[in-house]
Amino acid sequence: MLRLKAIFSYDGSEFSGYQVQPGKRTVQLELERVLQTMHKGESVKVVASGRTDAGVHATGQVIHFDSTLTLPNDRWKTALNVQLPRDIRILSVEQVRDDFHARFDAKGKTYRYIWSLNEIHSPFERNFTVHADRYKPNIELMKQASCYLLGTHDFSSFCASNTSVKDFVRTVHSIKLEVQKGSNQLHMVINGNGFLYNMVRIIAGTLWEIAIGKKSVEEIRDILESCDRKKAGKTAPAHGLYLENVEYFE
Amino acid sequence: MLRLKAIFSYDGSEFSGYQVQPGKRTVQLELERVLQTMHKGESVKVVASGRTDAGVHATGQVIHFDSTLTLPNDRWKTALNVQLPRDIRILSVEQVRDDFHARFDAKGKTYRYIWSLNEIHSPFERNFTVHADRYKPNIELMKQASCYLLGTHDFSSFCASNTSVKDFVRTVHSIKLEVQKGSNQLHMVINGNGFLYNMVRIIAGTLWEIAIGKKSVEEIRDILESCDRKKAGKTAPAHGLYLENVEYFE
């Protein structure tokens, strides 16, 4: 039995999220279906760094799985891509130590959130960015507010209420906010040691409300300290979010 | 009755092409459905600069239509976009002279064709570019071959056989070929006074075969002179093609 780690990308638009759910098309289902075919009908369980919700994309999601097959890394990649649907693409496969765990060994993650600032929301961006609509966001205010979130905090205010998690303390290492000139998109890139359920989308939604003047910069401090989900902004839409990278302990 | 000209964009992925066909979702159908609602059930016929096939995109398609409504141009745009599906977006609407005709008054068109040269075809590009797969195209050869197509020629060799057209003479003003560094995409931008059925896709397919060494540069001359569709390359896939601009006589 060899343990393999795969890094992959998916367009979340036509998936009911990452995790297997009865009767739904999910990313995990497609991966396990293809692996089962490659293993002559024997089921292969894949373990991801974490789930993503319906509509959320990934450019660097990570899984591990065990296999009896002995293929060179590049052959693994090609064999999986040939059989996977075109909205999932394997970027790399490598053999790892037997006890590598895609979820428990993750020491950090990077997510990207993208808004389109174009007056008209291009049909080609419609599933991949959230439209700013008539709003002209003040990026400086967003940057100021984002500084309050850096470091180690109880992020209860930024966690969806339907969670089973007990420990709400996480560390956010960086939040970068930048307008990309050519595409006129606003990108938020956030890195931390882990994220609560919907945490990135609630941070995006809250910073956005600050950017458009619905909340003040100073409020972010009260929101964080209150540990009350109701104080934070709305959960920003799923289709603006990308899981970009998962870092592991060596 | 006022005559209006609208410029619009669409993602062709989920349309059975531009033109109305019984039982199919087409761009024209969606436009006429929304205009009919705006005109209290009265049907409004739209006339486009030309059709596009299933899967073909547009960033600057043009229609004209007549209306009894008197709205400022910007209100027209907003009213249409609110009701249209998100894979069609109106970019501008303006009142034009009563005898303006979106098809007959067109003096030129620009199309763009995009190949992705990335080793892995990104899920986010899959409907918007054609994947070069394992091929490394020789762009210089494509450029050399494209020069033979410039000017006024009988383009029968570059026209799908199922056409009712009698006159195969068209003028190609320019063909630009360029690799975009950031995205690693190859773009072909072609401008001419008009294009035969599938002409851009057959030109793209033929230049591609030259780029990957399946045909020589010199062959393009024979292909053109033979007036025989069978000599040219395969029709390149629809989802790499964009109608970018339509020019009109003032």
Side-chain angles (χ1 to χ4, degrees):
Chain A
M1 220 49 158
L2 300 176
R3 180 149 293 191
L4 294 139
K5 172 190 177 188
I7 305 179
F8 60 106
S9 174
Y10 49 90
D11 168 359
S13 310
E14 289 164 28
F15 290 107
S16 300
Y18 172 79
Q19 199 177 41
V20 165
Q21 291 176 62
K24 303 274 192 171
R25 182 177 188 255
T26 69
V27 178
Q28 187 186 359
L29 179 84
E30 295 289 352
L31 292 166
E32 292 186 345
R33 188 182 55 72
V34 168
L35 283 166
Q36 187 163 8
T37 306
M38 286 180 70
H39 291 78
K40 311 194 173 182
E42 225 167 298
S43 80
V44 176
K45 197 180 152 53
V46 306
V47 177
S49 73
R51 323 170 186 179
T52 55
D53 279 343
V56 173
H57 313 292
T59 54
Q61 171 68 290
V62 177
I63 48 168
H64 81 253
F65 60 92
D66 293 324
S67 174
T68 46
L69 300 178
T70 49
L71 294 176
N73 294 339
D74 253 27
R75 277 286 300 142
W76 261 114
K77 181 169 76 169
T78 315
L80 287 167
N81 280 333
V82 163
Q83 294 183 70
L84 281 166
R86 296 193 319 136
D87 48 0
I88 305 177
R89 288 293 91 178
I90 304 291
L91 305 175
S92 70
V93 180
E94 60 167 334
Q95 200 192 321
V96 285
R97 56 182 166 69
D98 287 356
D99 63 346
F100 171 83
H101 196 286
R103 183 161 158 226
F104 300 141
D105 291 355
K107 70 168 180 183
K109 281 186 183 172
T110 304
Y111 283 92
R112 185 177 293 262
Y113 198 90
I114 312 182
W115 291 269
S116 165
L117 306 181
N118 293 304
E119 185 212 337
I120 305 282
H121 201 192
S122 157
F124 306 102
E125 288 190 310
R126 75 187 188 285
N127 296 324
F128 307 122
T129 63
V130 167
H131 193 219
D133 217 336
R134 63 188 185 283
Y135 295 108
K136 303 240 178 298
N138 184 324
I139 318 291
E140 276 316 307
L141 295 181
M142 280 178 112
K143 284 183 182 171
Q144 288 169 32
S146 73
C147 294
Y148 289 97
L149 301 175
L150 298 180
T152 304
H153 304 281
D154 179 318
F155 280 98
S156 308
S157 303
F158 296 91
C159 179
S161 40
N162 52 334
T163 182
S164 57
V165 169
K166 297 279 178 294
D167 176 12
F168 294 92
V169 176
R170 296 290 183 279
T171 302
V172 172
H173 299 304
S174 66
I175 303 180
K176 274 183 236 159
L177 289 148
E178 200 173 41
V179 175
Q180 301 210 341
K181 288 279 168 58
S183 58
N184 202 22
Q185 293 172 341
L186 168 60
H187 288 230
M188 176 184 86
V189 182
I190 183 165
N191 174 270
N193 72 343
F195 292 90
L196 299 162
Y197 186 47
N198 277 356
M199 180 168 154
V200 180
R201 288 167 58 190
I202 299 171
I203 289 176
T206 305
L207 292 180
W208 182 255
E209 290 184 16
I210 290 166
I212 64 172
K214 273 186 77 174
K215 285 189 167 34
S216 70
V217 171
E218 294 69 29
E219 267 179 84
I220 194 100
R221 197 173 186 160
D222 300 335
I223 294 168
L224 191 61
E225 287 173 359
S226 70
C227 292
D228 178 1
R229 168 67 189 91
K230 289 190 286 296
K231 299 253 178 173
K234 287 193 188 143
T235 306
H239 62 281
L241 184 63
Y242 297 72
L243 171 56
E244 189 161 281
N245 189 42
V246 187
E247 297 145 56
Y248 288 95
F249 295 105
E250 281 317 300
Chain B
M1 219 49 158
L2 299 175
R3 180 150 292 191
L4 294 140
K5 172 190 176 187
I7 305 179
F8 60 106
S9 173
Y10 49 89
D11 169 0
S13 311
E14 289 164 27
F15 289 108
S16 301
Y18 172 78
Q19 199 177 41
V20 165
Q21 292 176 63
K24 303 274 192 173
R25 182 177 188 255
T26 69
V27 178
Q28 187 186 359
L29 179 84
E30 294 289 352
L31 292 166
E32 291 186 345
R33 187 182 55 75
V34 168
L35 283 167
Q36 187 164 8
T37 306
M38 286 180 71
H39 292 77
K40 311 197 170 174
E42 226 167 296
S43 81
V44 176
K45 196 180 153 53
V46 307
V47 177
S49 73
R51 323 171 186 178
T52 55
D53 279 343
V56 173
H57 313 293
T59 54
Q61 171 68 290
V62 177
I63 48 168
H64 81 254
F65 60 93
D66 293 324
S67 173
T68 47
L69 301 178
T70 50
L71 294 175
N73 294 339
D74 252 27
R75 279 285 300 142
W76 261 114
K77 181 169 77 171
T78 315
L80 288 167
N81 279 333
V82 163
Q83 294 183 71
L84 281 166
R86 297 193 319 138
D87 47 359
I88 305 177
R89 287 293 91 177
I90 304 292
L91 305 175
S92 70
V93 179
E94 60 168 335
Q95 200 192 321
V96 285
R97 55 182 165 70
D98 287 356
D99 62 345
F100 171 82
H101 195 286
R103 182 160 160 228
F104 300 141
D105 290 355
K107 70 168 180 183
K109 281 187 181 170
T110 304
Y111 283 92
R112 185 177 294 261
Y113 199 91
I114 312 182
W115 290 268
S116 165
L117 306 181
N118 293 304
E119 186 211 337
I120 305 283
H121 201 192
S122 158
F124 306 102
E125 288 190 311
R126 74 187 188 286
N127 296 324
F128 307 122
T129 62
V130 167
H131 192 220
D133 217 337
R134 63 188 187 282
Y135 295 108
K136 303 239 178 298
N138 184 324
I139 319 290
E140 276 317 306
L141 295 182
M142 281 178 111
K143 284 183 183 171
Q144 288 170 31
S146 73
C147 293
Y148 288 98
L149 301 175
L150 298 180
T152 304
H153 304 280
D154 179 319
F155 280 98
S156 307
S157 303
F158 296 91
C159 179
S161 41
N162 53 334
T163 183
S164 57
V165 169
K166 297 279 178 294
D167 176 13
F168 294 92
V169 175
R170 296 290 183 278
T171 302
V172 172
H173 298 304
S174 66
I175 303 179
K176 273 183 238 161
L177 288 149
E178 199 173 42
V179 175
Q180 301 210 340
K181 288 279 168 58
S183 58
N184 201 22
Q185 293 172 342
L186 167 60
H187 288 231
M188 175 183 87
V189 182
I190 183 165
N191 174 271
N193 71 343
F195 292 91
L196 299 163
Y197 186 48
N198 277 355
M199 179 167 154
V200 180
R201 287 168 59 191
I202 300 171
I203 289 176
T206 305
L207 292 180
W208 182 255
E209 291 184 16
I210 290 167
I212 64 172
K214 274 186 76 174
K215 284 189 166 34
S216 70
V217 171
E218 293 70 29
E219 268 180 83
I220 193 101
R221 197 174 186 160
D222 300 334
I223 293 167
L224 190 62
E225 286 174 359
S226 71
C227 292
D228 177 2
R229 169 67 188 91
K230 289 190 287 293
K231 300 252 179 174
K234 286 193 187 144
T235 306
H239 63 279
L241 184 63
Y242 297 72
L243 170 56
E244 189 162 281
N245 189 43
V246 187
E247 297 144 55
Y248 289 95
F249 294 106
E250 281 315 301

